[in-house]
């Protein structure tokens, strides 16, 4: 993928289709891992190259995002540059559960991300990725009445 790459994996106590619906809901990204607001896109017609917009929490700026990987029920990646995923979710059925691997790739880090990467990158960035999978498992629990204790970190 290029750049600094960090991964975090969890097993969510929900089937793949439930987890897929959560991770592909752009309007819920801010609740999972990104402190910005994103417009939803039609997942029934989504494909690599599908464009959607992101907005700062204060609404003072916006930017384009692109679907970079799209394999329904298995892989969803997106980022600011076509063909370069910055965020990706890989889903794998694990019995009645779903193994979720969240990948964060830093192609062109922001000033804050460069500072974190330079001084404390392993702890801080790994923590951000683990927090994402924690939030995802919490979303599964809240939205679909999953069991929060049905998770394991790898």
């Amino acid at each position: 993928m290029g750049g600094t790459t960090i991964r975090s994996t969890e097993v969510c106590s929900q089937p793949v289709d439930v987890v897929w619906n959560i991770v592909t809901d752009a309007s819920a990204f801010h609740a999972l891992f990104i402190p910005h607001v994103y417009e939803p896109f039609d997942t029934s017609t989504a494909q690599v190259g599908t464009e959607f917009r992101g907005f700062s929490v204060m609404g003072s700026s916006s930017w384009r995002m692109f679907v970079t990987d799209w394999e329904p029920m298995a892989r969803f990646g997106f980022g600011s540059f076509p063909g370069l995923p910055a965020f990706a979710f890989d889903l794998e059925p694990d019995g009645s559960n779903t193994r979720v691997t969240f990948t964060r790739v830093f192609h062109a880090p922001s000033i804050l991300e460069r500072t974190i990467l330079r001084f404390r990158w392993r702890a801080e960035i790994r923590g951000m990725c683990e927090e994402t999978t924690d939030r995802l498992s919490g979303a599964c629990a809240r939205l679909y009445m999953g069991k929060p204790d049905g998770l394991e970190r790898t």
Side-chain angles (χ1 to χ4, degrees), residues 114-122:
R114 281 194 300 261
T115 303
I116 291 170
L117 289 168
R118 182 173 181 187
F119 295 108
R120 299 174 54 190
W121 78 272
R122 284 203 185 273

Side-chain angles (χ1 to χ4, degrees), residues 45-52 65-70 77 81-83:
T45 60
Q47 59 185 343
V48 171
T50 295
E51 184 178 324
F52 59 103
M65 298 297 285
F66 298 91
V67 172
T68 58
D69 294 289
W70 188 260
F81 305 102

